[in-house]
Amino acid sequence: MPRVSEQHLAARRRQILDAAVALFSERGFARTSMNDVVRESGLSMGAVYRYFPSKVDLVIAAGEGHGGEVDGEFPAERARDLLARLAQERGPEGDHARFSVQVWGEAAVEPELAAKVVPVHQRLEEHLAQLLRAEAGPDEQRDHDAVAQVALAAVIGLAALVAAGVPVDEERFVAALTDLVETPLRS
């Protein structure tokens, strides 16, 4: 029996993830079953479960990489560039925004998902705080951890607005958020 190539395996995994994200964005997590994902992907039930033993595993995999990590490392970038990238990463017709909001909503009631999502968010928050500290002036006194937390909460809020269809000027949002993040606090 011929051995299946890594490229073939990666393509099958991507096929499943693409089907799942499309369904999650259109229907939500609760109204999307693993059977729906199997049908949408065009693969067998066994193939889908081989890659993703549960819907939580599928959700986690679908969200991987959206913080910018590659092999566990963040790219070298400025804080403002990270925030702009996160704010603008919404996909066609707001698909990523809807997906992101659903992840946070489901994590609020699904401990298994929260246990996986929260550490990913915390790594991103710590990364942003480190960028802010590195860019700070020598006399700047501010709580970079709190600023990073507020900035990422604003980006999640932006996703909620976009997902609900609220018109948002992303350029102005990013400019205002950057101003808030980069303006030294007054004593």
Side-chain angles (χ1 to χ4, degrees), residues 22-33 36 39 102:
L23 290 168
F24 292 155
S25 295
E26 177 186 323
R27 301 179 185 176
F29 296 143
R31 292 186 304 248
T32 300
S33 69
D36 295 330
R39 195 171 23 263
Q102 288 179 62

Side-chain angles (χ1 to χ4, degrees), residues 67 74-86 123-137 140 142 144-145 147-148 152 181-182:
F74 288 100
E77 61 189 334
R78 295 177 42 206
R80 72 177 22 238
D81 298 329
L82 171 62
L83 292 171
R85 184 171 46 76
L86 293 173
R123 277 195 309 279
L124 183 58
E125 200 174 280
E126 289 166 8
H127 174 64
L128 178 55
Q130 288 173 349
L131 291 176
L132 293 170
R133 271 191 282 285
E135 295 169 10
E140 187 177 316
R142 72 185 326 180
H144 297 289
D145 295 326
V147 171
L152 292 179
V181 168
E182 292 181 344

Side-chain angles (χ1 to χ4, degrees), residues 29-30 38 44 49 51 65 68 80 88-90 95 98 105 112 116 124 127 129-130 133 147 151 159 164 169 172 184:
F29 296 143
V38 167
S44 71
Y49 277 100
Y51 291 93
R80 72 177 22 238
Q88 294 167 349
E89 188 179 89
R90 49 178 229 185
D95 285 353
R98 282 193 302 280
E112 184 183 355
K116 295 191 179 206
L124 183 58
H127 174 64
Q130 288 173 349
R133 271 191 282 285
V147 171
D169 182 330
R172 289 180 62 215

Side-chain angles (χ1 to χ4, degrees), residues 14-187:
R14 183 79 256 154
Q15 184 177 348
I16 296 164
L17 287 171
D18 290 345
V21 169
L23 290 168
F24 292 155
S25 295
E26 177 186 323
R27 301 179 185 176
F29 296 143
R31 292 186 304 248
T32 300
S33 69
M34 287 298 276
N35 284 334
D36 295 330
V37 174
V38 167
R39 195 171 23 263
E40 182 75 13
S41 72
L43 299 174
S44 71
M45 184 72 76
V48 171
Y49 277 100
R50 174 184 180 195
Y51 291 93
F52 305 102
S54 72
K55 191 158 56 166
V56 167
D57 292 318
L58 188 54
V59 169
I60 293 298
E64 284 177 348
H66 288 287
E69 283 182 283
V70 176
D71 296 329
E73 297 294 321
F74 288 100
E77 61 189 334
R78 295 177 42 206
R80 72 177 22 238
D81 298 329
L82 171 62
L83 292 171
R85 184 171 46 76
L86 293 173
Q88 294 167 349
E89 188 179 89
R90 49 178 229 185
E93 304 303 314
D95 285 353
H96 181 69
R98 282 193 302 280
F99 179 76
S100 175
V101 170
Q102 288 179 62
V103 167
W104 284 110
E106 192 67 18
V109 296
E110 176 59 54
E112 184 183 355
L113 182 58
K116 295 191 179 206
V117 170
V118 170
V120 171
H121 178 80
Q122 288 173 322
R123 277 195 309 279
L124 183 58
E125 200 174 280
E126 289 166 8
H127 174 64
L128 178 55
Q130 288 173 349
L131 291 176
L132 293 170
R133 271 191 282 285
E135 295 169 10
D139 298 329
E140 187 177 316
Q141 298 294 314
R142 72 185 326 180
D143 185 345
H144 297 289
D145 295 326
V147 171
Q149 189 172 58
V150 169
L152 292 179
V155 172
I156 294 168
L158 170 66
L161 294 174
V162 169
V166 175
V168 178
D169 182 330
E170 289 176 13
E171 280 187 38
R172 289 180 62 215
F173 177 91
V174 169
L177 182 57
T178 301
D179 284 348
L180 292 170
V181 168
E182 292 181 344
T183 302
L185 299 176
R186 295 179 198 97
S187 307

